[in-house]
Amino acid sequence: MNLNFKFQPIQERPQKFNLSSWQKKILKTTLIVGSVCIIFLALLITGLLIQGQTKFDISKINLEITGPETTESSAQITYKIKYSNNSAITITNLKLVLDYPENFTAFVQKNIFEKDFLNPSEKHEIEIQGRLLGNENSKHQIKATLYYKPENFKSQFKKQADFTTLINSSSILLLWQGPNKVSEKQKIDLELSYLNKQESIFGDFQIQIILPKDFELEKSNPKPDKQESEKLIYFIGALEKDDLEKLQIQGIINQESKFRAELGVIKNNELDIYAQKEHNTSLVQIQANISQTINSQENYIANPGETLNYVLTYENPDDLLIPSANVICALTGQAFDLNSVQVKNGNFNLSTQEIAWDNIQIAPQKKASVKFSVKLKDQMPIQDFNDKNFSATTLATLETENFNTSNELEVKINSQVDLQAKAYYNEQSVDIQNSGPIPPRVGQATTYTIHWQITNGANALENVVVKAGLPANTRYTNKNHLSSGRIFYNQLSNELIWTIDNLSAHTGKLAPLEEAVFQIELIPAKERVGKFSLVLDSSFLSTQDAFTKNTLNDSQGYLDTISVSKYDSSVDADDGIIVE
């Protein structure tokens, strides 16, 4: 069964919208308001664009001045005036007006600079060179004013800047020469020098010297062009470069005084000072000093019998001449050998024990010297225990008409300490018995006693130490007899050491000597047959002088078997030769 179906496409018909009257009114109103808003927004944007193109920012115009912050008076300096346009608008009719410091002289006499325009981001610079004059530590200011109009503006604008330079020194030098110290009613000569170190400066310069009160002016060279009470005025005109000029005045000082010099030009009936300098003088009593040295030293410790070379130095530290002075040196104390005095250009009076140099002239701020020499006695004059701690004293005096000044110098004298070393076979002074063959035999023991003896002079001694080494084939038997102190054997150094803490003055002279007696055993070696053999190495003493604080030393040579005969009369020299 055949079924035939035909499908017909369905055709849609457009729908038709019908607006009510109130809907039509709302649509119309919306279209009108939207159009108005669009038009207003367009006008607003256009206005902003126009306004942005014509707005001018005054802070974008810059003006500055650069130059030296410090300078020397009359030195050449350079100012740089820079201005720039950092705005978006061209500026026109530019006029830069400079107000220079009062004492500034520009090389080009111009202070107004004009320019037609300055485009955005453009800048311009003007350089001004000249010389600035002024007193030391004075400040000077340059000012700049820039007048201009922004393009399409009718109003005029301005920008200002300034810059200050300090004059820290002057190229115009003033120098006083003359004494700073004078005695009352003394005539003095003063000289004022002035010099310009920079290029020549033209103008009506003058120097004014203000004199101290009660100064008695006697003359001036050159003569002042004008004199007013206590003021001298000199018209000097231009200041040429490196031209040194001088003024001299002379007069009498009656009190402490101050002289002041001022150099400048007259402005408004007053001196505009470019440089000034003061000179002070004071009234003083003439002062001088004198000092002494011995053998080129100020603090000297001497030994008995030594020659002392004295130098007396006198000095005048003031600016005043000492026309006549005497130098006198008195020698005191019993230690000098007065017959040994040697004087150069002076005289020695034995009865007064004084050396004199007469009529010496001492120039201002100068020093000079005189010399002499004297020997100390070989032995200090000791009569009793009170004669100790000797010194030699000199008193040097500088005498003038108005004053005297002195210097005393004491020379402490060291004590005389003496060490003796002796050897004995037959000991008589102490209870130590020696034994063994004489002459000594190889391989057999022979003993000797050694005597260390100390004598001392006029000063006490401290920390006395005596030591000696033991030769080969000898040994210390530990037998001893001491007047004081203690003795011991140092195995490390192979030395015998005797120590005394304190030793009084005059030991061995007015008081008994100090002595250490000890025994040494010798066993001669075969190689010493026919020769002597050492018994004790060299002896050494060291101590400190309690008065002078110097370290004192003495020594004694070695002792051998032959040298025993020098001290022990029972033994001959041949008895010191070693036998088998």
Side-chain angles (χ1 to χ4, degrees), residues 113-148:
F113 303 87
E114 295 181 333
K115 187 173 178 62
D116 293 335
F117 62 88
L118 192 67
N119 291 321
S121 301
E122 271 192 338
K123 56 186 177 181
H124 191 64
E125 179 179 306
I126 293 174
E127 188 175 282
I128 304 297
Q129 292 185 335
R131 295 189 184 279
L132 182 62
L133 297 176
N135 198 6
E136 190 173 342
N137 296 323
S138 60
K139 295 180 179 180
H140 303 265
Q141 187 179 74
I142 180 175
K143 297 179 181 179
T145 302
L146 179 65
Y147 298 94
Y148 63 91

Side-chain angles (χ1 to χ4, degrees), residues 415-451:
S415 188
Q416 293 170 292
V417 61
D418 180 69
L419 171 67
Q420 294 292 323
K422 303 175 181 180
Y424 294 84
Y425 179 76
N426 291 308
E427 180 57 54
Q428 301 294 325
S429 63
V430 297
D431 188 18
I432 299 177
Q433 297 300 316
N434 293 314
S435 62
I438 293 293
R441 290 183 177 277
V442 173
Q444 297 185 30
T446 300
T447 60
Y448 297 91
T449 47
I450 307 299
H451 290 238

Side-chain angles (χ1 to χ4, degrees), residues 291-327:
S291 60
Q292 304 179 68
T293 60
I294 302 173
N295 296 347
S296 302
Q297 298 181 34
E298 293 182 0
N299 299 301
Y300 192 77
I301 305 297
N303 293 310
E306 185 176 357
T307 297
L308 305 181
N309 297 296
Y310 283 82
V311 176
L312 279 55
T313 301
Y314 48 90
E315 180 180 11
N316 177 11
D318 294 325
D319 297 325
L320 309 178
L321 172 71
I322 299 177
S324 178
N326 300 324
V327 174

Side-chain angles (χ1 to χ4, degrees), residues 446-481:
T446 300
T447 60
Y448 297 91
T449 47
I450 307 299
H451 290 238
W452 274 338
Q453 298 173 340
I454 303 174
T455 58
N456 182 31
N459 306 337
L461 303 178
E462 299 172 339
N463 302 319
V464 181
V465 177
V466 180
K467 61 177 64 176
L470 296 182
N473 303 311
T474 64
R475 72 177 184 88
Y476 171 50
T477 66
N478 286 316
K479 294 180 180 181
N480 64 73
H481 183 277

Side-chain angles (χ1 to χ4, degrees), residues 392-420:
T393 302
T394 52
L395 179 65
T397 302
L398 179 65
E399 295 181 347
T400 70
E401 183 178 355
N402 299 321
F403 76 95
N404 295 340
T405 183
S406 299
N407 172 264
E408 185 177 78
L409 183 60
E410 179 190 34
V411 180
K412 292 182 177 181
I413 301 173
N414 288 320
S415 188
Q416 293 170 292
V417 61
D418 180 69
L419 171 67
Q420 294 292 323

Side-chain angles (χ1 to χ4, degrees), residues 276-413:
Q276 62 181 354
K277 189 73 172 180
E278 292 184 349
H279 179 80
N280 296 313
T281 57
S282 57
L283 293 181
V284 297
Q285 294 291 330
I286 297 177
Q287 297 293 328
N289 56 70
I290 189 168
S291 60
Q292 304 179 68
T293 60
I294 302 173
N295 296 347
S296 302
Q297 298 181 34
E298 293 182 0
N299 299 301
Y300 192 77
I301 305 297
N303 293 310
E306 185 176 357
T307 297
L308 305 181
N309 297 296
Y310 283 82
V311 176
L312 279 55
T313 301
Y314 48 90
E315 180 180 11
N316 177 11
D318 294 325
D319 297 325
L320 309 178
L321 172 71
I322 299 177
S324 178
N326 300 324
V327 174
I328 300 173
C329 187
L331 283 62
T332 59
Q334 297 179 315
F336 287 117
D337 179 0
L338 298 177
N339 293 318
S340 68
V341 173
Q342 299 289 325
V343 184
K344 187 174 182 179
N345 301 323
N347 299 293
F348 175 56
N349 188 322
L350 182 60
S351 62
T352 62
Q353 298 184 197
E354 290 183 343
I355 307 171
W357 297 264
D358 299 328
N359 198 25
I360 299 172
Q361 186 180 87
I362 312 176
Q365 298 183 358
K366 296 293 184 181
K367 64 171 61 175
S369 60
V370 292
K371 301 177 181 179
F372 74 95
S373 66
V374 61
K375 185 176 179 292
L376 296 177
K377 293 177 180 178
D378 294 326
Q379 298 290 332
M380 294 298 104
I382 298 174
Q383 301 297 325
D384 56 42
F385 285 99
N386 292 322
D387 294 328
K388 60 182 179 179
N389 298 340
F390 283 86
S391 62
T393 302
T394 52
L395 179 65
T397 302
L398 179 65
E399 295 181 347
T400 70
E401 183 178 355
N402 299 321
F403 76 95
N404 295 340
T405 183
S406 299
N407 172 264
E408 185 177 78
L409 183 60
E410 179 190 34
V411 180
K412 292 182 177 181
I413 301 173

